[in-house]
Amino acid sequence: MNREKKSKSPDKRRRLLFGTRFGPWLRVLLCLALLVGAGLLFYYFGLPFCKTVINMKPDLSSCIAKEPGPSAEPTAKPTAVPTEIPGIAHALYGCNLASAQVEVIIPEYQYLADYGIVDNTLYFVGGNYTQDGTAAFVCLLLYNLESRSTEYLKLPLEYKSLRGIAVSHGWICYADVMAAGGGRLMAYNRASGEAVMIKTLHLGIPRLALWENYLCFVERSGSIRDKLYVIDLETMEHVTLEIFNSSDYALSAPCMAGGALVYADPNGLLTTLDLETGDIERLDCGMYIHDPKTNGELTAYLSGSHGEDTGLYYLDVNDKPVLVAEGVVDFAVGEDFIAYECLDKVFVYFVSDGATFCITRSDEQAQLLTAGGEYVCYMDVTWRDKDITEFMNVINP
C-alpha cells in the first residue's frame, strides 16, 4: 500500500517581543523591577512588623496569681488652663492712647520747664523769649490733672527766671536765678503767701527735693567740694548731711517722698534717711548709683549718667537690684510703676508683675518729664517749634 506522504509547511506566527534582539535586556529590567518592589514592601511593612515582634514583651499575666482588686474607673480628662497674656490685668492693655492722652494747653507761654507732680497737681514754670534770645521763666503754673484747671502763681522774682521748682502741701521752693546761674534760693509759704530767702546761690542752679517742710539740695561750696544740705523750713535749721570732695556722686540729685530721703553718698552707697526717725541705711548695690528716686516705698536708680549703657534698676523686697531696662535716658517713680524714657519713647513698667507698656504712639517721639501717683507726664517732641505737654493716667486710663 502506497501512502501518500504529505509535507507540512511551517505556520507564519508573529514573532514575540522577547524573541527580538532586545529580549535579554527586557528580562533583566523586569527582574530588577521585581527585586526593587520586593525590597520596598519589606522596608515599609516587613521591617516595622519585625521590630514590633522583637520588642514585644511576653504576657505572663496568666501565670501569676492575682488578688481581686477594685474595678477600674475612667480616667478624668485633664482640664486645659489657658496661658494668661502678660499685662492683660492692667487697664493699659488695649488702651486707646489717642483718647487717653491729654494735652496741657497753656497759650500764654511758649516754653515750659521744671515739671513735677504732687498729689493730683502737675506743676511747672512758664516763660517766653527775651530780647537777649534766651527764655525767661516768670510764672509757676499749678495744673489740676483731674479737673484740668490751671492756677497761675506769680512768685517774688528779683532776677530773670524761676528754676528748680519743688512743691509740697505747705511750701514752694525755687531758685530765683540769673541767665548764667547764681542768684538766691527762696521758700514760699502757701498758707501765708510770704516768701523768704534761704541763702545766696553763687554758682549754677541746684536741683531741689522737697517733702512737707523739709528741703534738700546739693550745692558747690568750693573748687572741689560740694555739700548736701537738709533744711527745716519751719525753723530754718539746716544740717550738712554729706560732704563730697572731687566726687562724681555730687552730680547725683537727691529725692524726697513718703517721709524718706534717698541719695548716693560720697562712697557710692545708696543711702536712705528716714525723715521722721532720723535713721540712716546704706546699701552697696555693687554698681554705680545715679539719681535715685523713691515714692516712699519703691526706690529706683540709674547705673550711669544717662548714657547708652545706663541701666534702670529698682530694689525688691529683699533690697536686691532688679534690672528694668537698659539705655535709659531718665525715669520717674509713680504708684507701683516706674516710667522711663528710652529711644525717644516713654515706657511704663509695673513692679507688681513686670509688665511693660509703651505709651508713645508709633509715629511720635516723646521725652519723659515727670510721674507721680497714677499719672505720667511727657513732652511730644515730634515737632520742635513748640513745647507740647501731655499726660495720661496709666492706672485708670
Side-chain angles (χ1 to χ4, degrees), residues 7-117:
S7 61
K8 296 182 179 180
S9 60
D11 296 335
K12 295 182 179 179
R13 299 185 177 92
R14 294 181 59 186
R15 299 175 62 186
L16 296 175
L17 187 61
F18 287 103
T20 65
R21 59 191 181 93
F22 298 104
W25 293 105
L26 292 175
R27 290 186 179 91
V28 171
L29 291 176
L30 180 60
C31 292
L32 288 176
L34 291 174
L35 288 175
V36 171
L40 290 176
L41 288 173
F42 178 79
Y43 179 82
Y44 286 105
F45 299 100
L47 190 59
F49 177 77
C50 292
K51 289 183 178 179
T52 302
V53 173
I54 293 173
N55 295 327
M56 183 181 297
K57 295 182 180 180
D59 185 10
L60 303 179
S61 60
S62 60
C63 302
I64 302 175
K66 294 183 179 180
E67 296 181 1
S71 59
E73 296 181 357
T75 303
K77 295 182 179 180
T79 302
V81 179
T83 303
E84 184 176 354
I85 301 175
I88 197 173
H90 298 277
L92 274 180
Y93 184 83
C95 171
N96 184 354
L97 296 179
S99 60
Q101 296 172 345
V102 182
E103 181 179 352
V104 179
I105 306 296
I106 307 295
E108 295 85 355
Y109 299 105
Q110 186 178 7
Y111 296 102
L112 309 173
D114 297 343
Y115 294 80
I117 294 177

Side-chain angles (χ1 to χ4, degrees), residues 148-199:
R148 301 179 186 178
S149 59
T150 307
E151 176 186 355
Y152 296 78
L153 185 58
K154 292 285 188 176
L155 297 172
L157 184 64
E158 182 176 317
Y159 298 107
K160 184 174 183 178
S161 288
L162 306 169
R163 297 305 309 271
I165 297 291
V167 178
S168 70
H169 297 93
W171 296 86
I172 297 174
C173 294
Y174 62 97
D176 176 9
V177 296
M178 296 173 280
R184 56 180 188 162
L185 182 60
M186 304 291 294
Y188 176 84
N189 190 312
R190 300 181 70 175
S192 65
E194 297 179 356
V196 295
M197 188 180 80
I198 299 175
K199 69 185 309 293

Side-chain angles (χ1 to χ4, degrees), residues 262-322:
V262 295
Y263 62 94
D265 77 357
N267 297 315
L269 301 179
L270 181 60
T271 305
T272 303
L273 168 64
D274 191 315
L275 295 169
E276 296 179 346
T277 64
D279 296 336
I280 295 181
E281 295 182 0
R282 301 183 191 272
L283 179 65
D284 186 358
C285 297
M287 66 187 79
Y288 186 81
I289 302 295
H290 186 71
D291 284 357
K293 297 176 184 177
T294 185
N295 61 7
E297 297 179 356
L298 173 65
T299 298
Y301 61 88
L302 297 176
S303 64
S305 299
H306 312 278
E308 294 181 356
D309 57 346
T310 297
L312 170 61
Y313 293 82
Y314 76 91
L315 299 180
D316 63 12
V317 293
N318 298 315
D319 287 338
K320 299 297 183 181
V322 178

